[in-house]
Amino acid sequence: MTRDELEKNIVTILVDEFEFENPGLSDNLRDDHGFDSIDAIELLAKIEEMLGFQLTRKEKEQAMTIRTINDILDYIESMQDAHQS
Amino acid sequence: MSGNSLQPGGRGNPVNGLLNVLVTLICWGYFIFAFLFFFAFFYLASYLFAADREKSFQYLNFRFFRGFLWLLRSLAPRHSWNIDPQIANIRGSIIVCNHLSYLDPLLFLSLLPRNKTIVKTKFFKAPVFGWLVDISGYLPSTTEGIYAGKMIQQVEKMSVFFKSGGNLFVFPEGTRNPDAGIGALHKGVFKIARMAKCPIHVLGLSGTDVLFTPGKFFFNTRLRNKIYLKIIETIPSDTKQGTMTVSILEEKVRCAFQKQKLLYEGRLV
């Protein structure tokens, strides 16, 4: 999946499932949209569905430091790369 | 506070003060000695031999706090306890309640044998207690450091836990709030409800702050007081129209708390 496709999918999920309003790629997820660790865990399940493979516990723990949508996209790309190699 | 009659003489009387000290020491003595000389053996046996260690620890917590509440109720008979009997039958649900006193979590632990709750992360670091809350499967309130893994593990298991009849009780105001207003509600519990598609039971509690007043060390055993714990409303998170959003769940719980406050103040019948 390209970064543009990932961005479109993630923004759709955040708007439809997490009630985000006009999310910006550099918004602070916690401060601007009230996105917390429980949301992050739910989003990880959706990312797994999107990517078609399971993330390990360690990979999920890495996601807990994500702060922006750009960080989410970087994270997904790095997971794609790691699972392809 | 309607529902609580505070008789004169409850405060300022040295005999009453002495009795308060005595009851408090006996109750906190139970915490130390009942654990060390009785329950510790069962916890150890469960740790070593139980097939489901988490479930076994939750049951031991239930028995331990049941003993504590029985002792407190026996030693403070002027406080009458009116616990809705239906609460003992709640299974596979999230339970949210207003928070008045440090007694409240102990009360919930004594009511249901399969319980989890969200615990401040600093308590996971405490000796013995931290070990107990960790093995009991309680959720840390934050995801700093090693607690990220624990949080992920517990949240991912919640659906299975609810399906097996377990309950998660939470005080969504986060801290004790004996005042009339309703504080800001933490959304985490509504997110778990949405994720696990389980119902939310909204409970209303009154009077525990009279028995154990925030900021005080000793129980007020000599006051005449009524403690109520009632089911105010049951909110399904998953309906025929689909799963409710976090905002709607939060609003429904807020309305239920508001209703409870009005009932408590005697403005509704």
Side-chain angles (χ1 to χ4, degrees):
Chain A
M1 234 183 280
T2 65
R3 191 168 175 103
D4 285 345
E5 287 170 332
L6 285 177
E7 183 187 319
K8 196 178 160 198
N9 286 346
I10 290 296
V11 169
T12 303
I13 290 170
L14 291 175
V15 171
D16 292 350
E17 311 270 339
F18 295 89
E19 302 173 61
F20 275 36
E21 289 177 6
N22 304 317
L25 295 185
S26 302
D27 291 356
N28 184 305
L29 296 172
R30 178 180 287 275
D31 298 343
D32 299 333
H33 301 285
F35 188 89
D36 61 18
S37 47
I38 295 169
D39 289 314
I41 294 165
E42 194 175 357
L43 180 63
L44 283 170
K46 300 200 181 295
I47 289 172
E48 284 181 327
E49 275 175 36
M50 198 166 76
L51 295 178
F53 56 78
Q54 297 281 309
L55 299 165
T56 65
R57 178 64 45 79
K58 198 134 189 96
E59 287 169 341
K60 288 179 183 175
E61 285 178 28
Q62 286 170 25
M64 292 294 136
T65 56
I66 282 171
R67 294 286 171 267
T68 66
I69 295 177
N70 272 327
D71 288 347
I72 296 175
L73 300 176
D74 293 343
Y75 172 80
I76 296 173
E77 284 184 330
S78 70
M79 291 301 116
Q80 275 182 322
D81 292 345
H83 283 258
Q84 274 164 7
S85 59
Chain B
M1 292 181 187
S2 67
N4 298 314
S5 63
L6 305 181
Q7 297 292 320
R11 293 188 176 111
N13 181 329
V15 175
N16 286 344
L18 198 63
L19 286 168
N20 286 341
V21 172
L22 194 63
V23 169
T24 305
L25 291 178
I26 291 171
C27 287
W28 296 132
Y30 169 91
F31 254 90
I32 299 165
F33 298 111
F35 180 80
L36 282 180
F37 298 114
F38 187 74
F39 282 93
F41 300 104
F42 291 97
Y43 279 107
L44 189 63
S46 292
Y47 183 77
L48 294 173
F49 306 115
D52 187 339
R53 202 181 273 167
E54 184 180 287
K55 187 176 175 183
S56 180
F57 266 53
Q58 286 167 12
Y59 183 72
L60 285 170
N61 296 341
F62 162 70
R63 299 306 306 187
F64 179 73
F65 287 106
R66 209 167 173 79
F68 174 79
L69 262 293
W70 173 82
L71 187 65
L72 180 58
R73 288 171 75 154
S74 304
L75 294 173
R78 291 187 178 188
H79 295 261
S80 70
W81 295 71
N82 301 278
I83 312 286
D84 188 336
Q86 291 301 319
I87 293 169
N89 300 324
I90 296 176
R91 296 287 183 273
S93 295
I94 286 178
I95 298 169
V96 295
C97 188
N98 58 316
H99 193 9
L100 304 171
S101 157
Y102 281 137
L103 275 180
D104 306 345
L106 313 190
L107 175 60
F108 278 96
L109 288 167
S110 75
L111 289 176
L112 293 156
R114 287 216 65 199
N115 252 340
K116 285 190 185 192
T117 188
I118 299 173
V119 177
K120 284 183 181 165
T121 305
K122 67 178 180 184
F123 291 127
F124 278 81
K125 299 167 189 166
V128 184
F129 185 67
W131 179 71
L132 288 173
V133 296
D134 188 15
I135 296 173
S136 301
Y138 299 163
L139 285 76
S141 59
T142 58
T143 54
E144 66 203 43
I146 59 164
Y147 301 101
K150 287 190 194 304
M151 170 76 94
I152 293 168
Q153 184 187 21
Q154 289 304 333
V155 172
E156 286 182 341
K157 287 195 313 190
M158 286 315 291
S159 292
V160 176
F161 175 69
F162 289 130
K163 279 182 188 141
S164 69
N167 299 302
L168 174 72
F169 76 87
V170 177
F171 303 104
E173 289 173 287
T175 188
R176 292 164 296 157
N177 178 20
D179 300 328
I182 299 164
L185 304 180
H186 289 272
K187 292 185 178 181
V189 67
F190 310 122
K191 292 170 181 176
I192 293 174
R194 180 188 61 182
M195 213 187 306
K197 296 182 171 51
C198 68
I200 299 177
H201 289 274
V202 185
L203 271 56
L205 178 64
S206 63
T208 52
D209 53 329
V210 177
L211 175 55
F212 194 36
T213 307
K216 299 280 172 72
F217 181 77
F218 298 110
F219 292 121
N220 286 318
T221 62
R222 308 300 293 163
L223 299 174
R224 291 199 185 281
N225 172 46
K226 288 178 181 172
I227 294 169
Y228 286 99
L229 182 60
K230 291 181 174 175
I231 300 174
I232 302 297
E233 199 165 329
T234 300
I235 301 167
S237 63
D238 199 27
T239 63
K240 282 177 185 170
Q241 287 76 39
T243 306
M244 285 196 204
T245 65
V246 169
S247 311
I248 291 174
L249 287 173
E250 182 187 6
E251 189 51 35
K252 282 182 177 286
V253 169
R254 178 170 289 284
C255 287
F257 276 146
Q258 191 62 47
K259 194 162 104 185
Q260 190 253 344
K261 292 272 183 189
L262 294 175
L263 280 169
Y264 190 47
E265 290 163 8
R267 286 195 268 159
L268 288 178
V269 178

